[in-house]
Amino acid sequence: MNIVLVDDERLALESLKRAVCAVLPNETVHTFQKARQALAFAEENNIYIAFLDIDMPLMNGLEMAKALRQI
């Protein structure tokens, strides 16, 4: 199962990854600091869970959620 974490703050992203990996140790977790990179990944891979930061530059988490739904 592919899990995507997106946050423009590196430390927050690393902390979230540790938490997700602790709860779901057998799943694949992909981290991105830029929404566009995560969307490019989603176009090529099935995403089952996405944790998105709401306040990001260029594309906020709500806009990204809409884009993921379209993919």
Side-chain angles (χ1 to χ4, degrees):
M1 172 169 41
N2 286 316
I3 299 171
V4 170
L5 313 178
V6 185
D7 195 317
D8 59 315
E9 296 180 30
R10 184 181 54 81
L11 293 177
L13 189 60
E14 290 173 2
S15 177
L16 179 58
K17 182 177 181 180
R18 281 192 301 275
V20 170
C21 288
V23 174
L24 300 168
N26 298 321
E27 305 307 332
T28 305
V29 178
H30 305 274
T31 60
F32 301 93
Q33 284 188 270
K34 296 183 179 181
R36 301 253 182 241
Q37 293 171 335
L39 289 173
F41 178 82
E43 288 178 356
E44 302 294 324
N45 300 276
N46 290 326
I47 303 300
Y48 293 95
I49 301 172
F51 291 90
L52 311 174
D53 182 12
I54 296 298
D55 187 23
M56 294 187 293
L58 302 179
M59 176 182 283
N60 69 42
L62 296 175
E63 294 167 335
M64 185 176 175
K66 289 178 187 176
L68 283 172
R69 287 190 65 178
Q70 291 177 350
I71 293 172

